[in-house]
Amino acid sequence: MNKSIKALTLACLCLAGTSCGMKNNADVDTCLRYQYPNILNISVTPEHNMRRVGCFTDAGSWMGFTIPEKDKWINGFCGPFSIDNRVWFAKSAVSVNIDGTEMTPDSISYFPGEIYMTANSENGSIEQRMFFVSANTALLNIKNNTGNKFSITGKDWNKDVTLKKSNNIITASHTNGETVQITLPQDFEVIDNDSNYTATSNSSNTYVAISFYASENELMSGEQKAIALLNNPEPAIKKNNARWEGYLSKIIRNDMKHEYNRIAAKSVVTLISNWRTHREGLLHDGVIPSHAVNYFIGFWAWDSWRFSAALARFEPELAKNNIRAMFDYQLPDGMIIDCIYTDPKENNARDSKPPLVCWAVDEILEFNNDTAFVKEMYPQLLSYYKWWFNKRDHNKNGMCEFGCTDGTLEAAGWESGMDNAIRFDNCKMLKNADDAWSFDQESVDLNAYLAYECKLLKKFADITGYEFDGPDYSNQVADYFFNEDMGFFCDRKLPDGKFVQEAACEGYTPFWTEIASKEQMEKALVMLTDTAKFSTYIPFPTAAADNPKCSPNGYWRGPIWLDQTYQAIKGLRNYGYSELADKYTMQVFDRCEGLTGTSPIHENYGTHTGKCLQAPHFSWSASHLLMLYEDFGK
């Protein structure tokens, strides 16, 4: 750790007496969260119409904050921002001033679970740090090093926000029904008018609570909690520090170089920043794909399975609730619907998503020995497994197809999770029942996943005492989908069973689920290591790179999706090619743009460039980076 970062870190620690136990410079290096300054660049001075933005948020909160840009400086953290409704309550609801003196930015940083800034004036410096103590409330610590009075005020409130003052509480109500409350210590002198407030204090070290409520009931129960927090902030500070130290200590490896540890820390930050607490139609806490993009503010099925598998390692209760949230909407026939939102009218029940939930439950079991959760979920897991064979096996041969409830190609593509994949270009729909349609194509990845789910359901049955009475075609899948002429796994068309000869990422799945034979791996290795096909600059794209239909910006038609890259690398490791797996992992870590720096983790990456493509702050990619990190060198 260089001297400037260490000085900044020590300043942060002194503000609130962290529970990491730091006493001197040497001890700073033992507190994991402070070894990763500037983990993400979230410097944005917002305009009110700015809806796509990454921010600092934690503990399941539906509000977030950014750090102001140095050339558009506001001496306060920007926001809060409503993550669900994409509304900025203010440019900065709490900004700090010294008698109107202009403040010049000095240092800013985003540590895991905490943001920090310091600014100077001719009279001295003001230091601010913020962290979340709950899903409702962020605690702001202000350290005044000037020896003078300071004041705080709001900057550029949203035109749809109405302010009211009651004692030392400022309530900012938005017309959408959401409310922000600023709770100030009793030693502040607070004045207000219809459009703003000003609060003044002599304190050299003080706290302000910024709370966010989605309903009147939340508001009523939260007011007294915020007052109590300011009267005794230390327990909440220690709890926050212990939580983040716990996250990182469960993940970070002592045998990895710092740059790779930084990727792991950033992955944890990404997952936790996308944690949303239960609200309205979301009946349990869960993780959204990306808080930075408005169309990803909900829970998706196979996304949730992936997030839970990663969270099992360091936040198991969230991992479990993430699964429960999707099963809250399980249909009577066993179907798990595609995605759910705070407003259930927006839920999509036209399709499901690839079945990976037993894998997620098994990760929770393996990392936490949580047999009670397995027993809780087993009947619903089995029902979902059976649903695939009841509603997505057109010719009843035991090999399933992706499909939908409404007969549309669009929804069937969504069910595959690979919306516009090349392999589906010539698909048609087949009717199975009034509420069930299939592609005229049996998919290798779907059936490899089902084979894995079958294996795990049998394992769970032994643990729980339940009976597994589902269909089992596991031992037929690999040979059925292996194209001997190509030396790779492919989908097959109905009714004639011809192979869909479009080599792509679905062919990695049998190696990840370990249903392929060693001989099949040896044959497939020719394509997997071919630099013209799959051994690209970033390895294992979603389509063979030499396919004329492959598009470097084609969503599922060529770019890198890290779940698929992970499955290919894990597949190599499963069959004894560990050195090759490590080589490809390093290519991901070293070549994907910004992973070791301050850029957010993205939805997908350029196959030949490593450039960031779609949505930033993406949970899916973070989950699989953690798994690649965990497996490296093993």
Side-chain angles (χ1 to χ4, degrees), residues 3 29 67 142 148 154 158 162 168 177 192 206 209 224 292 346-347 363 431 439 448 526 596:
K3 291 181 179 179
D29 296 316
I67 297 172
I142 302 170
N148 299 326
N158 189 301
T162 302
N168 276 30
D192 73 314
T206 194
Q224 293 306 312
E346 297 180 3
N347 293 357
E363 293 292 282
K431 188 172 183 178
F439 274 143
V526 175
T596 59

Short mmCIF file of all heavy atoms in Angstrom, two decimals, residues 3 29 67 142 148 154 158 162 168 177 192 206 209 224 292 346-347 363 431 439 448 526 596:
data_model
loop_
_atom_site.label_atom_id
_atom_site.label_comp_id
_atom_site.label_asym_id
_atom_site.label_seq_id
_atom_site.Cartn_x
_atom_site.Cartn_y
_atom_site.Cartn_z
N LYS A 3 2.07 5.30 0.32
CA LYS A 3 1.93 6.18 1.48
C LYS A 3 0.67 7.02 1.43
O LYS A 3 -0.01 7.24 2.44
CB LYS A 3 3.17 7.07 1.60
CG LYS A 3 4.44 6.31 1.99
CD LYS A 3 5.61 7.26 2.12
CE LYS A 3 6.88 6.51 2.53
NZ LYS A 3 8.04 7.42 2.64
N ASP A 29 -2.80 -2.79 6.93
CA ASP A 29 -2.72 -3.83 5.90
C ASP A 29 -3.47 -5.09 6.28
O ASP A 29 -3.66 -5.96 5.46
CB ASP A 29 -1.25 -4.16 5.61
CG ASP A 29 -0.52 -2.97 5.02
OD1 ASP A 29 -1.09 -2.31 4.15
OD2 ASP A 29 0.62 -2.71 5.45
N ILE A 67 -20.18 9.79 -5.98
CA ILE A 67 -19.17 10.75 -5.56
C ILE A 67 -19.11 11.85 -6.62
O ILE A 67 -19.07 11.54 -7.82
CB ILE A 67 -17.80 10.06 -5.42
CG1 ILE A 67 -17.85 8.99 -4.33
CG2 ILE A 67 -16.70 11.07 -5.13
CD1 ILE A 67 -16.61 8.12 -4.25
N ILE A 142 -19.20 13.35 9.38
CA ILE A 142 -18.57 14.60 8.95
C ILE A 142 -17.54 14.98 9.99
O ILE A 142 -17.86 15.13 11.18
CB ILE A 142 -19.60 15.73 8.81
CG1 ILE A 142 -20.70 15.34 7.82
CG2 ILE A 142 -18.92 17.03 8.36
CD1 ILE A 142 -21.88 16.30 7.80
N ASN A 148 -13.95 26.12 12.75
CA ASN A 148 -15.05 27.06 12.58
C ASN A 148 -16.39 26.32 12.53
O ASN A 148 -16.44 25.10 12.39
CB ASN A 148 -14.89 27.85 11.27
CG ASN A 148 -13.62 28.66 11.25
OD1 ASN A 148 -13.19 29.16 12.28
ND2 ASN A 148 -13.04 28.80 10.07
N GLY A 154 -29.14 21.23 1.32
CA GLY A 154 -29.39 20.47 0.12
C GLY A 154 -29.03 21.26 -1.12
O GLY A 154 -29.07 22.50 -1.12
N ASN A 158 -35.03 17.87 -6.44
CA ASN A 158 -35.93 17.51 -7.53
C ASN A 158 -37.21 18.33 -7.44
O ASN A 158 -37.75 18.56 -6.36
CB ASN A 158 -36.25 16.01 -7.42
CG ASN A 158 -37.00 15.47 -8.61
OD1 ASN A 158 -38.08 15.93 -8.94
ND2 ASN A 158 -36.43 14.48 -9.26
N THR A 162 -41.16 17.59 -2.08
CA THR A 162 -41.64 18.58 -1.12
C THR A 162 -40.92 18.39 0.21
O THR A 162 -40.82 17.26 0.71
CB THR A 162 -43.16 18.43 -0.90
OG1 THR A 162 -43.83 18.58 -2.14
CG2 THR A 162 -43.67 19.48 0.08
N ASN A 168 -35.45 18.30 14.34
CA ASN A 168 -34.21 18.22 13.56
C ASN A 168 -34.29 17.14 12.47
O ASN A 168 -33.29 16.52 12.12
CB ASN A 168 -33.02 17.96 14.48
CG ASN A 168 -32.49 19.24 15.08
OD1 ASN A 168 -33.24 20.19 15.30
ND2 ASN A 168 -31.19 19.30 15.33
N GLY A 177 -44.35 8.60 -4.06
CA GLY A 177 -44.62 7.90 -2.82
C GLY A 177 -43.39 7.55 -2.01
O GLY A 177 -43.51 7.13 -0.85
N ASP A 192 -35.49 26.28 7.90
CA ASP A 192 -35.95 25.79 6.60
C ASP A 192 -36.89 26.79 5.98
O ASP A 192 -37.40 27.71 6.64
CB ASP A 192 -36.64 24.43 6.74
CG ASP A 192 -38.01 24.55 7.39
OD1 ASP A 192 -38.11 25.26 8.41
OD2 ASP A 192 -38.97 23.96 6.87
N THR A 206 -19.26 14.62 13.72
CA THR A 206 -20.69 14.41 13.92
C THR A 206 -21.23 13.45 12.87
O THR A 206 -20.54 13.08 11.91
CB THR A 206 -21.44 15.76 13.83
OG1 THR A 206 -22.76 15.59 14.33
CG2 THR A 206 -21.49 16.29 12.40
N ALA A 209 -27.99 10.96 9.65
CA ALA A 209 -28.64 9.76 9.09
C ALA A 209 -29.47 10.17 7.87
O ALA A 209 -30.26 11.12 7.94
CB ALA A 209 -29.52 9.09 10.13
N GLN A 224 -37.79 6.78 14.64
CA GLN A 224 -37.18 6.60 15.95
C GLN A 224 -35.88 5.82 15.86
O GLN A 224 -34.95 6.04 16.64
CB GLN A 224 -38.17 5.89 16.88
CG GLN A 224 -39.39 6.72 17.23
CD GLN A 224 -39.01 8.08 17.81
OE1 GLN A 224 -38.17 8.17 18.71
NE2 GLN A 224 -39.62 9.13 17.29
N ALA A 292 -27.39 -0.33 -12.16
CA ALA A 292 -27.04 0.82 -12.99
C ALA A 292 -27.92 0.97 -14.22
O ALA A 292 -27.86 2.00 -14.89
CB ALA A 292 -25.57 0.71 -13.42
N GLU A 346 -45.78 -6.40 -13.86
CA GLU A 346 -44.70 -6.40 -14.83
C GLU A 346 -43.99 -7.76 -14.94
O GLU A 346 -43.11 -7.94 -15.77
CB GLU A 346 -43.67 -5.33 -14.46
CG GLU A 346 -44.23 -3.91 -14.49
CD GLU A 346 -43.20 -2.87 -14.11
OE1 GLU A 346 -42.03 -3.25 -13.87
OE2 GLU A 346 -43.54 -1.68 -14.04
N ASN A 347 -44.36 -8.70 -14.08
CA ASN A 347 -43.71 -10.02 -14.12
C ASN A 347 -43.88 -10.67 -15.48
O ASN A 347 -44.89 -10.47 -16.17
CB ASN A 347 -44.31 -10.94 -13.05
CG ASN A 347 -44.01 -10.49 -11.64
OD1 ASN A 347 -43.30 -9.51 -11.43
ND2 ASN A 347 -44.57 -11.20 -10.67
N GLU A 363 -24.61 -25.60 -3.78
CA GLU A 363 -23.52 -24.73 -3.34
C GLU A 363 -23.78 -24.22 -1.92
O GLU A 363 -22.88 -24.15 -1.09
CB GLU A 363 -23.35 -23.56 -4.31
CG GLU A 363 -22.86 -23.95 -5.69
CD GLU A 363 -21.44 -24.47 -5.70
OE1 GLU A 363 -20.50 -23.66 -5.63
OE2 GLU A 363 -21.27 -25.70 -5.78
N LYS A 431 -46.63 -27.01 -30.70
CA LYS A 431 -47.57 -26.92 -29.58
C LYS A 431 -47.59 -28.23 -28.81
O LYS A 431 -47.78 -29.31 -29.39
CB LYS A 431 -48.97 -26.59 -30.10
CG LYS A 431 -49.97 -26.30 -28.98
CD LYS A 431 -51.29 -25.79 -29.53
CE LYS A 431 -52.25 -25.44 -28.40
NZ LYS A 431 -53.53 -24.88 -28.90
N PHE A 439 -39.63 -25.09 -28.96
CA PHE A 439 -38.87 -25.02 -30.19
C PHE A 439 -38.89 -26.40 -30.86
O PHE A 439 -38.98 -27.42 -30.17
CB PHE A 439 -37.41 -24.67 -29.91
CG PHE A 439 -37.09 -23.20 -29.80
CD1 PHE A 439 -36.16 -22.77 -28.86
CD2 PHE A 439 -37.67 -22.26 -30.63
CE1 PHE A 439 -35.82 -21.43 -28.75
CE2 PHE A 439 -37.34 -20.91 -30.54
CZ PHE A 439 -36.42 -20.50 -29.59
N ALA A 448 -28.28 -31.13 -20.51
CA ALA A 448 -27.13 -31.31 -19.63
C ALA A 448 -27.42 -30.73 -18.24
O ALA A 448 -27.05 -31.32 -17.21
CB ALA A 448 -25.89 -30.66 -20.23
N VAL A 526 -9.89 -30.25 -29.63
CA VAL A 526 -9.37 -29.70 -30.90
C VAL A 526 -10.03 -28.35 -31.18
O VAL A 526 -9.36 -27.37 -31.51
CB VAL A 526 -9.63 -30.69 -32.05
CG1 VAL A 526 -9.19 -30.06 -33.39
CG2 VAL A 526 -8.89 -32.00 -31.80
N THR A 596 -8.93 -5.23 -13.28
CA THR A 596 -7.99 -4.98 -12.19
C THR A 596 -7.90 -3.49 -11.84
O THR A 596 -7.18 -3.12 -10.92
CB THR A 596 -6.59 -5.50 -12.54
OG1 THR A 596 -6.13 -4.86 -13.73
CG2 THR A 596 -6.62 -7.01 -12.76
#
